[in-house]
């Protein structure tokens, strides 16, 4: 009986920590979304989308986190916890990070050469994302994506 109460207490603490983490991510998401609406600066939108994609990556990476979000994001049931879903979300996160960096740093104006390099990286991660969504085995999608990335560079 004591072991059950200890397990319940440990589970309650774990749930509390995941709830705080989940709450912080979504407070930041909505904060940056409202900044985008108010300031009309697209970098805030890219950052908000990145935060959302990162939260989905946490769902795929951590079973405890998935328990809290399964009822909120019902489309998660369409994704299996396979390598394809993980690679798709990682590629999406990288794609959004590059979009955010390009917009925030105004690379098109301030550093056109670096902007071209970032555009190539965007194409690479978009290709990796598409291959993962098509359901190709992760080994194939990573190999093809890496090969295409090397050709683009």
């Amino acid at each position: 009986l004591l072991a059950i109460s200890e397990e319940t207490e440990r589970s309650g603490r774990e749930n509390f920590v995941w709830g705080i983490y989940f709450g912080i991510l979504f407070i930041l998401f909505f904060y940056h979304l409202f900044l985008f609406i108010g300031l009309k600066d697209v970098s805030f939108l890219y950052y908000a989308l990145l935060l959302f994609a990162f939260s989905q990556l946490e769902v795929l990476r951590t079973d405890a986190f998935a328990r809290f979000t399964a009822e909120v994001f019902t489309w998660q049931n369409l994704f299996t916890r396979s390598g394809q879903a993980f690679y798709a979300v990682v590629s999406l996160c990288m794609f959004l990070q590059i979009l955010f960096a390009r917009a925030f740093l105004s690379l098109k104006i301030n550093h056109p050469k670096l902007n071209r390099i970032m555009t190539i990286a965007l194409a690479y991660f978009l290709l990796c994302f598409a291959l993962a969504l098509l359901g190709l085995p992760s080994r194939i999608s990573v190999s093809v994506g890496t090969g295409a990335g090397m050709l683009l560079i």
Side-chain angles (χ1 to χ4, degrees):
L1 189 63
L2 185 60
I4 293 173
S5 75
E6 288 175 1
E7 179 63 28
T8 303
E9 183 179 327
R10 187 193 62 76
S11 177
R13 276 187 303 230
E14 182 179 319
N15 291 347
F16 181 71
V17 170
W18 279 113
I20 288 174
Y21 182 65
F22 180 72
I24 289 170
L25 280 177
F26 282 96
I27 287 170
L28 285 170
F29 168 74
F30 285 113
Y31 174 72
H32 285 90
L33 194 62
F34 287 131
L35 283 175
F36 165 69
I37 292 168
L39 300 175
K40 307 290 189 244
D41 184 356
V42 74
S43 64
F44 289 114
L45 175 64
Y46 292 148
Y47 194 69
L49 292 174
L50 174 61
L51 286 167
F52 184 78
F54 181 75
S55 70
Q56 299 311 300
L57 180 64
E58 284 295 312
V59 167
L60 289 172
R61 192 182 68 81
T62 311
D63 286 334
F65 197 62
R67 286 184 301 191
F68 291 104
T69 60
E71 295 172 10
V72 177
F73 305 115
T74 56
W75 57 269
Q76 286 176 0
N77 297 330
L78 300 175
F79 262 153
T80 61
R81 293 189 195 283
S82 65
Q84 288 86 354
F86 181 77
Y87 283 117
V89 176
V90 167
S91 298
L92 181 62
C93 285
M94 294 303 296
F95 181 80
L96 290 168
Q97 285 176 359
I98 293 170
L99 279 177
F100 167 70
R102 284 178 60 198
F104 184 74
L105 298 174
S106 301
L107 289 182
K108 193 178 281 187
I109 297 166
N110 295 331
H111 205 296
K113 189 173 184 178
L114 184 57
N115 186 50
R116 284 191 297 274
I117 293 170
M118 292 295 205
T119 303
I120 292 169
L122 279 174
Y124 167 73
F125 287 114
L126 190 60
L127 177 66
C128 289
F129 179 71
L131 291 174
L133 282 183
L134 288 175
L136 293 176
S138 57
R139 186 176 66 240
I140 294 172
S141 65
V142 169
S143 298
V144 171
T146 303
M150 294 295 221
L151 289 175
L152 288 173
I153 291 176

